[in-house]
Amino acid sequence: MIKKDKPNLSFWQIWNMSFGFLGIQYGFGLQQANMSPIFRYLGADEASIPGLWLAGPLTGLLLQPIIGAISDRSWSPTWGRRRPFILAGALLGSIAMIMMPNSSAVWMAAGLMWILDAGLNSAMEPFRAFVGDMLNEKQRPLGFAVQSFFVGFGQTLANLMPYILPLLGVSMVLSDEQLSNGIPNSVRYPFYIGGASILLAVFWTMRTTKEYPPENDDYKKAHVFTEEEKKSISFWHLALAVGGAILAFGFAYFSGGLANGLKWGVGVLAGSYLVLMLPVFKEILAPLSSMPTVMRQLWWVKFFTWYGLPLMWQYLSLAVAKYAFLAPDAVSNPKGFEEGTKWGGLCFAMFSVSCAVISFLIPRIAKAVGSNRATHALFMCIGASGFFMTLLSNDKMIYLIGMTIIGLMWGSIMSMPYLMLAAAVPKERMGVYMGIFNGFICVPQFIGMLTVPLFYKTLLGDDPRNALVLAGICMLLAAGSCFLVKESK
C-alpha cells in the first residue's frame, strides 16, 4: 500500500513527475489536428471520417481501467508501480506516431491510429494516478494544475506547427517523393517530432521520479470477492455487454441497414460477454457498484461535458470556414475553405494557450471561492459563453476570442473533476477508479456519435454553428450538475 502521510514535494519535483504528460498531450494535439486531413490525403470519404475516429473513445474505455487495475496490484523495486505502464505506452505511441505519416492507405492509417491511441491512453491513466499516489491532499490541486498546464502547452505546440515549421525552413509544398501517399512535410515532420518528444518527456519523468514503495505485501494477495462484489460483477458484466451491443447495432444500422445492425449487435454482444469474463475485468467490475458517492455524482458532470465537447472538435473549423470565409465546403470555395481550416487551427492554439495560462491560477481561484464544485461550475459557465459568442458576428476574430474563453474552461475540465475524485477514492484502488473515471469520458462520446446525426439536419438546421451552440448548452447543464456533487470541506 501507499504511505498514508506523504511529505510535501517541491514544485520542481511535482513538475518533473508530470513532465512526461507534456509529450503525451503533444501527441494527442497532433492527432486531433491532423488525423482527418491524413485520412483525406489517403482518399477517405468525408462521411466515413467520424467512424475512423472511434479509436480514441473505444481504446480509452477499454484500456484505462485495465491499466489502472493491473498497476494497482503491481510493484517493482526498480520500476515502481505506474512508471512501467507509462514507459510502455510511450514506446508504443511514439512508434505509431513515426509510422503514421508514412501510411500508404486508409486502413493502415486507421490501424496506426488505434495503436497510437492505445499507447497514449496507456501512458495517460498512470499519470492521473501519480497525483493521488505521490501527493498529499494539500498538494493535489497543484499536481493537477501542473498536468493541466502541460495539456495546454503540449496541444498549443501541436496546433502551431503549421506556423512554426515554415519559420524553420520546412517546405509546405508537396515534394516528388511524397506523391505516393500525398502527405506533405507540414504534416510529416510534426509527427516525427512528436514521436521523439513523447519519449524524451517520459524518460525525464522516469529519471527524476521515484515512487513510494508498498508498506506491506497486501497488493500481492489475490482479491477475495464478497457476495456483494460477485453480484456487482454479474450485473455489470451483462449490462456492459448489452450496452456495447446496442451501440454497435445503432452505428451499423445507420451505416448499413437492419441486417448489418443485427449482425454487429449480436457479434459485439457475444464478443464482449466473452472478453469481460477475463480475470482482469473482475477487478474492474467489482468496484463499480461500490464506487464512491462523489464519483457517481460526477457522472452527470462528465456526461454533459463530453456529450458537448466533441462537437467543438468536429464543427469549429467548419463553422469558421462557412461564416468567416464564406466557404461552406471545399468545392464551392476551395481557397476560403483552406483558409478557414487554417484559422480554425489557430483558434485551437489559442484555446490551448489560455488553458496553459489559467492552470496555475485555478487552485488559487478555488481557494478564494471556497468550493471545488462551485469553481468548476463557474468555469463551465465561462466556457458556455465562449460557444454562444459565435452567434454574435461572422468575423473570424469572434471565433478566436470565443475559443480563448473556452480554453479557460478546458483548464478546469483537466483538473477540477480529478481533484474532487482523488479526495474520495480509496488509496489502494486509485488506479482502477481513475481508469473507470476516464471511461466516463468515452461513453458520452459514443452516445453523441450515435444521436447527433439523427437531429443534425433537423434540430440543428444542418448548421455547424448551431452545433457549437448545443455544445454551450451542454456546458451549462454540466455546470448545474456540479451542485449534485457532495464535497467535504
Side-chain angles (χ1 to χ4, degrees):
M1 293 297 119
I2 300 164
K3 293 180 181 179
K4 294 181 180 180
D5 299 317
K6 307 182 187 78
N8 284 336
L9 301 184
S10 70
F11 172 80
W12 292 113
Q13 286 177 307
I14 297 174
W15 177 277
N16 289 335
M17 81 180 211
S18 298
F19 190 76
F21 211 61
L22 172 64
I24 303 302
Q25 292 302 319
Y26 181 90
F28 274 122
L30 281 177
Q31 181 195 70
Q32 292 167 359
N34 292 286
M35 281 313 303
S36 289
I38 286 177
F39 288 139
R40 293 291 283 152
Y41 283 129
L42 296 173
D45 181 69
E46 191 169 308
S48 68
I49 287 178
L52 296 171
W53 274 87
L54 281 175
L58 186 57
T59 52
L61 181 64
L62 294 175
L63 273 180
Q64 293 200 36
I66 293 175
I67 296 298
I70 295 175
S71 63
D72 278 345
R73 302 185 63 80
S74 63
W75 172 257
S76 165
T78 302
W79 296 99
R81 170 172 281 119
R82 314 294 180 187
R83 294 191 305 160
F85 300 94
I86 295 174
L87 182 59
L91 288 170
L92 186 64
S94 63
I95 291 171
M97 186 153 283
I98 292 171
M99 294 178 63
M100 183 69 73
N102 297 298
S103 300
S104 57
V106 173
W107 67 265
M108 183 177 180
L112 286 171
M113 186 175 177
W114 282 83
I115 296 173
L116 175 62
D117 265 302
L120 296 181
N121 276 291
S122 297
M124 185 174 70
E125 192 282 332
F127 270 112
R128 294 294 191 193
F130 244 167
V131 175
D133 288 349
M134 301 291 291
L135 300 180
N136 57 43
E137 189 171 348
K138 182 179 178 181
Q139 287 196 307
R140 282 175 184 168
L142 177 59
F144 285 119
V146 171
Q147 287 193 354
S148 184
F149 168 79
F150 282 134
V151 170
F153 187 56
Q155 294 185 350
T156 298
L157 289 177
N159 289 321
L160 288 178
M161 276 297 158
Y163 297 90
I164 295 173
L165 288 175
L167 299 177
L168 301 177
V170 178
S171 174
M172 304 289 280
V173 180
L174 203 64
S175 59
D176 292 338
E177 64 270 17
Q178 294 167 341
L179 292 177
S180 58
N181 67 359
I183 299 176
N185 284 339
S186 59
V187 174
R188 189 180 300 267
Y189 288 170
F191 273 80
Y192 296 157
I193 296 170
S197 66
I198 291 172
L199 289 179
L200 291 174
V202 166
F203 281 151
W204 180 260
T205 292
M206 297 295 101
R207 193 182 77 83
T208 58
T209 303
K210 299 295 182 183
E211 296 183 72
Y212 296 132
E215 292 183 341
N216 51 53
D217 292 336
D218 286 351
Y219 72 95
K220 295 181 180 179
K221 299 176 182 178
H223 183 73
V224 179
F225 297 106
T226 65
E227 289 301 317
E228 184 178 348
E229 287 177 326
K230 291 178 181 178
K231 292 179 181 178
S232 173
I233 292 170
S234 299
F235 171 79
W236 287 106
H237 188 173
L238 180 61
L240 291 176
V242 172
I246 292 173
L247 288 174
F249 171 82
F251 281 114
Y253 173 76
F254 289 115
S255 62
L258 179 61
N260 192 48
L262 290 173
K263 178 179 69 176
W264 277 96
V266 172
V268 169
L269 176 64
S272 58
Y273 192 86
L274 291 174
V275 169
L276 289 171
M277 293 176 68
L278 295 174
V280 66
F281 285 105
K282 292 183 179 180
E283 295 280 346
I284 298 169
L285 298 178
L288 280 176
S289 291
S290 58
M291 70 175 68
T293 302
V294 169
M295 188 171 174
R296 296 173 184 269
Q297 294 162 345
L298 281 168
W299 156 254
W300 293 108
V301 179
K302 301 286 274 188
F303 176 82
F304 290 118
T305 300
W306 287 96
Y307 187 94
L309 270 181
L311 298 172
M312 175 185 71
W313 286 298
Q314 294 165 6
Y315 292 107
L316 185 278
S317 293
L318 297 179
V320 173
K322 180 175 182 178
Y323 288 100
F325 292 88
L326 303 179
D329 54 63
V331 176
S332 60
N333 185 356
K335 180 64 176 177
F337 193 82
E338 180 183 354
E339 289 299 316
T341 302
K342 188 175 180 180
W343 188 264
L346 184 61
C347 291
F348 278 112
M350 289 305 300
F351 163 86
S352 301
V353 167
S354 63
C355 168
V357 170
I358 198 64
S359 296
F360 288 112
L361 298 177
I362 288 177
R364 294 186 179 183
I365 295 172
K367 186 176 182 180
V369 172
S371 167
N372 291 330
R373 67 178 186 179
T375 301
H376 190 52
L378 172 64
F379 277 100
M380 297 304 290
C381 291
I382 292 172
S385 70
F387 284 115
F388 297 144
M389 185 178 292
T390 60
L391 292 175
L392 298 179
S393 171
N394 292 340
D395 190 279
K396 64 182 182 180
M397 292 304 298
I398 283 291
Y399 294 92
L400 194 68
I401 296 171
M403 287 299 289
T404 303
I405 293 172
I406 295 168
L408 303 177
M409 175 189 70
W410 184 238
S412 183
I413 290 172
M414 290 291 100
S415 58
M416 295 308 293
Y418 296 96
L419 178 60
M420 287 186 274
L421 178 67
V425 169
K427 297 179 178 63
E428 65 275 10
R429 286 189 167 180
M430 182 69 70
V432 68
Y433 275 125
M434 281 291 180
I436 294 171
F437 193 58
N438 282 327
F440 284 5
I441 294 173
C442 307
V443 175
Q445 292 184 66
F446 282 127
I447 296 174
M449 290 175 185
L450 185 62
T451 58
V452 170
L454 299 179
F455 57 77
Y456 182 74
K457 291 186 176 181
T458 54
L459 183 62
L460 300 182
D462 202 14
D463 191 332
R465 192 162 63 177
N466 289 339
L468 300 180
V469 173
L470 175 60
I473 294 172
C474 289
M475 299 309 111
L476 290 180
L477 292 172
S481 300
C482 289
F483 295 98
L484 299 176
V485 180
K486 305 293 184 183
E487 60 179 352
S488 59
K489 293 184 181 180

